[in-house]
Amino acid sequence: MLFNSLEFFIFFPLVVLAYFLLPYKHRWILLLGASYYFYMAWKAEYIILIIISTLVDFFVSNKMGKLERKEDRKPWLMVSIFANLGILFAFKYFNFFIDNLEVLFSSLGLYFSKPVMSLLLPMGISFYTFQTLSYSIDVYNGKIKPETHLGHFALFVTYFPQLVAGPIERAENLLPELKGENDFVYERVIPGLKQMLWGFFKKLVIADNLAIMVDTIYSQPTDFKAITLVFGTFLFSFQLYCDFSGYSHIAIGASRILGIKLMDNFNLPFRASSMTELWQKWHISLSTWVNDYLFGTIVKAKPKWGRYGILYGLIITFLILGLWHGASWTFVMFGVLHGSVVSFEYFTKKYRRKWSKKIGKVNFNWIGWFVTMVLWLVGCIFFRSNTFSDATYILSTIFGGEFDIADFTNFVLNIGFGFLLIKILLLLIFIVLDPFLDRLIKGTKTLSGPSSYALFSSVLALIIVFGYFGDVNFIYFQF
C-alpha cells in the first residue's frame, strides 16, 4: 500500500480510530494485523519472508538470552545472520552475482550455464532485514534483553509506518514505544498531521512533478547534451531528497498521532559543508546503523592497522552501503565515490583545519559546501542512471564540455515552458520553506496558532492544486 494512495487515506484513519478505542493490552493485535495488511496489499505471498525473519530472530534471540558467554551465543547469531542475509541475497543479489560470474567465465574463455531466478524484489526487504539484524546483534552483545512476547516482537519487525522505507529503528527505542499506553492527545495529533502534510507536499508536489522531467532525460540520456544532463541531475537530487524525506515525514507524523516516537531520518543534508557531514544528516537511521554494526566491527577487527584500518573500514562500509541500495555496478560506484571522499576528508582533517584558519571559517564552509554539492550530484548520476554505460556517457558529456544551449532550449519547448516555470517556482518555494518547516516540525521553532494554520493551509492548497496524484512508488521502496 502506498502512502500516496486513496486506500491509505481510508486505511490510516480507521486504524487510528480503532487504536484509541481498543484497551491498551489489545492494541498490539490491531497494529500487527494492520501492518500485515499494509504489506500484503502490495504482494500477499511475500509476507511469508517477513514471518520467516520474525520467527528465526525471535527463536534465536531467546536462545542467546539464556546463554551467559558470548562464545556460546555466537553460533545462534550466525543462524540469524545467514538466514536474513541469505533471503536478501536470493531475492536481491543472486542474479547480479550470476551475471557477473558469467562475464568472468566468458573473459577466461570458459563456458558457464547461467541459472536465472525470476523473482520480484520484495518491497522494503533491505530495511526490515537490517532492523531485525540489529536486534539479534544487540541481544548477542548483551545490549538488550530478548523480547519474550512473539506478538510484540512481530510488531517491531512489521510496524507499518516504517516497514518498507524506514527509519530503520533499534529495538531498544521502538519496542517500548509500541508497548506504551497512549491516550488520544490533541496537542500530539495536530503536529503529527502537520508533519504528514509536509511529507505529502514533498512527495506529491515536488518529487513526483520533478520525476516527469528527470525520467524524460534519464530514460534516454544519449539524446541530450551537457546543460540538459546537468539540469536533470540537479532536479533528481531534489526529487530523491523530497521523495525519501517526504516518506520519513509521513511515517514519523503518522506514528506521532498514535503516540509512537520514531527517530528523525533527515536534518537538512543539503546544508552540509562536507560529505562526512552530509551522511550525518542524510538517511540518519542507515548511516548510524552502518557505523554501529559494520564500520565499528571492521575497525575493531583490525586494531593494529591504525589509520589504515579506518580507511579499510570506510571503503568496505561504503561499498556495502552502495550495494545495499541496489544490485548494480552503478550503486557500487555510488558507494565507492562516497567512501573515497569521506576517506579523503578523514585523512586531510588536520590540513583542512589549517586552511580553514587561513581563509576564515565562513569562506571555508562555503567552499566545502560547493565541493560537497558537486560531488553529491556526481553520485546522483550513478544513483539514477539505468545502466553503467548511461552514467559514463552522462559524465563524459558533462565534463567533455558539450554545452549546447539549443539542446536545452529544445528540451524546454518539448516539456512546455509554462510547465517548467511552474515546477521551478514550486521548487523555489520548497527551498525557502524547508529549513523553517523542518525546525517547526521538530519543535525547535514556534509559530503562533493563526500563522501556523495559515501556513499549513497554504501547503494543503498547493498539494490540491499542484500535487501529482498518480500512484507513484516512493523511490526507496525498491531497496
Side-chain angles (χ1 to χ4, degrees):
M1 187 188 302
L2 300 176
F3 283 163
N4 52 323
S5 66
L6 178 61
E7 189 179 8
F8 181 77
F9 282 93
I10 298 170
F11 166 82
F12 183 65
L14 290 175
V15 170
V16 173
L17 180 63
Y19 180 81
F20 287 112
L21 288 175
L22 279 172
Y24 298 134
K25 64 180 180 179
H26 298 316
R27 287 178 178 177
W28 71 267
I29 302 172
L30 169 73
L31 287 182
L32 182 60
S35 299
Y36 281 151
Y37 175 79
F38 180 86
Y39 194 81
M40 291 170 70
W42 167 71
K43 194 169 180 62
E45 54 266 40
Y46 277 10
I47 197 68
I48 295 170
L49 300 179
I50 295 179
I51 292 172
I52 291 172
S53 290
T54 301
L55 293 174
V56 167
D57 288 319
F58 179 78
F59 175 76
V60 162
S61 64
N62 278 280
K63 282 289 185 182
M64 288 192 291
K66 296 173 182 176
L67 302 170
E68 291 186 8
R69 297 193 314 152
K70 262 191 170 184
E71 293 81 0
D72 296 331
R73 296 197 292 266
K74 194 168 186 178
W76 292 107
L77 175 65
M78 291 299 105
V79 172
S80 173
I81 290 174
F82 281 112
N84 284 290
L85 295 185
I87 292 172
L88 185 64
F89 177 83
F91 282 85
K92 190 169 183 176
Y93 301 105
F94 179 79
N95 287 338
F96 176 68
F97 174 77
I98 291 298
D99 288 343
N100 284 280
L101 201 60
E102 182 186 35
V103 171
L104 176 62
F105 272 71
S106 179
S107 67
L108 297 173
L110 301 172
Y111 173 74
F112 178 72
S113 179
K114 183 175 78 171
V116 177
M117 289 178 66
S118 299
L119 296 172
L120 182 65
L121 181 65
M123 189 180 288
I125 187 171
S126 296
F127 285 91
Y128 68 73
T129 297
F130 269 31
Q131 184 153 308
T132 57
L133 272 179
S134 69
Y135 169 80
S136 296
I137 295 169
D138 284 349
V139 172
Y140 166 75
N141 286 324
K143 188 177 179 182
I144 60 172
K145 298 285 186 183
E147 174 57 58
T148 56
H149 190 293
L150 178 58
H152 290 160
F153 179 70
L155 180 56
F156 160 73
V157 176
T158 60
Y159 178 56
F160 74 88
Q162 49 89 228
L163 171 60
V164 291
I168 303 169
E169 285 287 349
R170 311 291 176 87
E172 62 180 330
N173 300 326
L174 185 55
L175 271 170
E177 292 288 329
L178 295 173
K179 296 177 186 179
E181 297 184 351
N182 303 312
D183 294 318
F184 182 87
V185 180
Y186 178 82
E187 291 76 13
R188 187 180 61 224
V189 171
I190 296 304
L193 287 172
K194 289 177 179 178
Q195 187 162 8
M196 290 182 74
L197 190 66
W198 185 235
F200 281 118
F201 177 87
K202 284 185 171 186
K203 170 62 176 173
L204 299 173
V205 177
I206 306 299
D208 288 352
N209 276 305
L210 293 183
I212 297 168
M213 293 180 282
V214 172
D215 291 348
T216 299
I217 295 169
Y218 268 84
S219 61
Q220 291 292 336
T222 53
D223 292 346
F224 301 100
K225 302 300 181 185
I227 295 177
T228 312
L229 294 171
V230 169
F231 181 69
T233 304
F234 174 79
L235 294 184
F236 173 69
S237 69
F238 280 97
Q239 179 201 352
L240 180 64
Y241 171 60
C242 289
D243 191 281
F244 192 21
S245 65
Y247 178 94
S248 293
H249 277 313
I250 298 167
I252 295 167
S255 294
R256 206 169 175 179
I257 291 169
L258 295 169
I260 296 167
K261 185 178 180 181
L262 299 181
M263 70 180 294
D264 289 329
N265 215 15
F266 290 87
N267 184 23
L268 303 175
F270 291 165
R271 289 191 162 195
S273 57
S274 69
M275 193 64 77
T276 304
E277 185 186 359
L278 190 146
W279 274 105
Q280 292 167 349
K281 295 170 175 285
W282 175 279
H283 200 175
I284 298 167
S285 64
L286 176 63
S287 59
T288 53
W289 196 102
V290 295
N291 181 70
D292 294 345
Y293 298 104
L294 192 56
F295 174 73
T297 303
I298 294 171
V299 172
K300 284 178 184 176
K302 307 290 181 183
K304 295 181 181 179
W305 287 25
R307 286 162 59 101
Y308 294 104
I310 292 173
L311 173 63
Y312 173 73
L314 284 171
I315 294 298
I316 296 298
T317 297
F318 274 93
L319 179 64
I320 292 173
L321 190 147
L323 272 171
W324 179 90
H325 284 87
S328 165
W329 284 109
T330 54
F331 288 114
V332 172
M333 278 304 302
F334 174 80
V336 168
L337 170 67
H338 283 255
S340 300
V341 175
V342 171
S343 298
F344 174 80
E345 289 174 352
Y346 173 78
F347 279 95
T348 60
K349 195 184 300 181
K350 182 172 68 174
Y351 304 103
R352 289 187 297 113
R353 279 193 193 129
K354 289 180 181 177
W355 193 37
S356 174
K357 289 177 183 177
K358 270 187 182 179
I359 66 173
K361 190 174 181 180
V362 173
N363 292 330
F364 178 81
N365 285 341
W366 274 110
I367 294 170
W369 172 83
F370 178 78
V371 173
T372 301
M373 290 303 103
V374 170
L375 291 169
W376 173 257
L377 290 175
V378 172
C380 282
I381 292 171
F382 287 105
F383 196 105
R384 178 58 184 82
S385 294
N386 295 321
T387 65
F388 197 84
S389 60
D390 280 355
T392 54
Y393 168 81
I394 293 168
L395 285 168
S396 61
T397 303
I398 291 173
F399 291 103
E402 295 184 47
F403 290 92
D404 187 346
I405 192 67
D407 174 68
F408 183 68
T409 303
N410 289 333
F411 169 75
V412 172
L413 292 174
N414 288 331
I415 285 289
F417 179 74
F419 175 86
L420 177 62
L421 182 61
I422 290 170
K423 304 315 172 191
I424 296 302
L425 286 173
L426 290 169
L427 180 58
L428 290 174
I429 290 171
F430 162 74
I431 291 171
V432 171
L433 283 179
D434 191 42
F436 177 77
L437 277 171
D438 185 79
R439 293 194 296 271
L440 193 65
I441 285 167
K442 291 175 181 175
T444 58
K445 179 82 175 175
T446 57
L447 197 63
S448 65
S451 299
S452 178
Y453 281 107
L455 174 61
F456 283 97
S457 295
S458 300
V459 170
L460 178 60
L462 287 171
I463 292 172
I464 294 169
V465 175
F466 297 108
Y468 184 84
F469 291 97
D471 286 346
V472 181
N473 269 347
F474 287 82
I475 294 172
Y476 267 73
F477 276 20
Q478 64 185 300
F479 306 139

